[in-house]
Amino acid sequence: WTYRSQKVAAQAARALLYEVCTTPKPGLVDRQTSGSHKDMDIPLFTRSAESLRPYFLACFEIGRDHQERSPEETFSLLCRAGIEAEKQMFAATGGVNTHKGAIFSLGILCAAAGRLSPEDWQPESILDEAAKMAAGVTEKDFAGVTAETAKTVGERLYVNYGITGIRGQAESGFSAVREKGLPVLREGLRSGLSLNDAGTVTLLHLLTVTQDTSLINRSDMDTLTSVQKQVASLLAEHPFPTTEQIEALDRQFLEKNLSPGGTADLLAVTYFLLFLI
């Protein structure tokens, strides 16, 4: 079990490192630019990812040590670990939010792996277990929130548009990853693309089905809808766009200061599931 827990934690941290290094990524930090983030770069993300490795290990152990409890009870045990992980992240980054979404999503998946026997470590099984763990989290977290009391971006988007963000993705068993992320990444690799190039294309496919709260926060709902239509049109004509086509999209995102950070978290989830098997 020690080896398995170390493996899960290592692959979660590795997924974060591969995500930030995937290039090009429209509006996001990559090996060429800092995207729409003047306060971020790859060294910062590297420090953040390494600071979270003990957290991912703890999440796996929480899942492993509480297999007899219900999935929902296991999820509740993750909350305290998540709060501590955020403190570690901010200490490593000087207060910059690099991986708050990934703390939530990868934490659940590490715990889901802990609840399952290694023989059941298939993406579908892990995602199914994550969905059981996250059941009802949106309703619980947003209970009683109104337009007057909403404080966070997530709360405001939920009240105004019914957007559930990463909570909804977790409750659905990360449907975007299951239906778009993994199939596209695998197909890209089978077709001969490098992991980096398959990852850039996977990000675009994920963006078309993700209500990306980070992008909306930097713009509005109409902009998200417009971007998704543009990307979907590109993918309909070129399912695996060239680097030049993605770089052209990147320039547009930079001009508008857009950043699909929520989609980037889902790319990291996709990588994690690929690496773990």
Side-chain angles (χ1 to χ4, degrees):
W1 277 108
T2 299
Y3 165 75
R4 291 164 182 164
S5 61
Q6 293 284 355
K7 176 184 177 180
V8 169
Q11 299 301 355
R14 179 187 175 199
L16 294 181
L17 294 173
Y18 273 62
E19 180 279 310
V20 73
C21 287
T22 299
T23 305
K25 296 195 304 295
L28 295 161
V29 175
D30 59 28
R31 286 179 283 114
Q32 292 178 340
T33 75
S34 291
S36 299
H37 300 275
K38 294 180 174 60
D39 59 345
M40 297 182 185
D41 56 22
I42 284 183
L44 186 77
F45 272 82
T46 301
R47 293 198 301 274
S48 177
E50 285 303 312
S51 77
L52 295 177
R53 190 186 295 253
Y55 162 70
F56 296 137
L57 179 63
C59 289
F60 177 89
E61 291 175 344
I62 287 171
R64 179 198 65 194
D65 295 343
H66 299 280
Q67 292 177 348
E68 77 285 354
R69 298 198 182 198
S70 70
E72 294 89 347
E73 287 179 305
T74 301
F75 177 82
S76 68
L77 295 173
L78 295 176
C79 293
R80 182 177 298 176
I83 292 172
E84 289 303 312
E86 286 187 16
K87 293 178 182 177
Q88 292 299 317
M89 175 193 72
F90 285 129
T93 64
V96 178
N97 176 14
T98 44
H99 287 128
K100 192 170 182 178
I103 288 173
F104 180 83
S105 55
L106 286 175
I108 294 173
L109 292 169
C110 288
R115 287 180 58 83
L116 300 172
S117 66
E119 294 75 25
D120 294 326
W121 282 2
Q122 296 300 319
E124 293 74 17
S125 301
I126 293 173
L127 292 172
D128 287 344
E129 191 67 22
K132 295 174 185 176
M133 291 170 60
V137 64
T138 301
E139 183 177 354
K140 178 182 177 182
D141 285 359
F142 292 147
V145 176
T146 65
E148 292 72 30
T149 62
K151 297 178 180 178
T152 67
V153 172
E155 288 176 346
R156 290 193 294 271
L157 292 177
Y158 178 75
V159 170
N160 293 331
Y161 303 105
I163 291 176
T164 56
I166 193 62
R167 294 174 179 84
Q169 272 296 318
E171 286 188 285
S172 73
F174 297 94
S175 58
V177 172
R178 189 193 301 259
E179 298 165 13
K180 285 284 186 181
L182 277 169
V184 171
L185 186 61
R186 287 167 168 164
E187 179 60 27
L189 294 173
R190 281 195 297 267
S191 70
L193 292 180
S194 67
L195 182 58
N196 176 84
D197 292 351
T200 64
V201 174
T202 299
L203 178 84
L204 297 185
H205 281 269
L206 285 167
L207 180 56
T208 65
V209 294
T210 302
Q211 293 177 314
D212 196 303
T213 56
S214 298
L215 193 148
I216 298 171
N217 185 43
R218 285 174 169 261
S219 55
D220 51 39
M221 278 295 298
D222 288 341
T223 299
L224 173 65
T225 301
S226 176
V227 164
Q228 288 180 318
K229 287 181 179 178
Q230 179 185 0
V231 174
S233 178
L234 171 64
L235 294 174
E237 189 171 353
H238 305 282
F240 293 92
T242 65
T243 298
E244 290 74 20
Q245 289 171 317
I246 300 175
E247 286 176 341
L249 199 61
D250 187 23
R251 290 192 290 272
Q252 292 182 34
F253 276 48
L254 296 182
E255 288 173 5
K256 298 178 181 179
N257 197 38
L258 301 178
S259 173
T263 308
D265 289 337
L266 295 178
L267 177 60
V269 166
T270 306
Y271 279 145
F272 171 70
L273 293 169
L274 180 75
F275 296 158
L276 190 59
I277 308 310

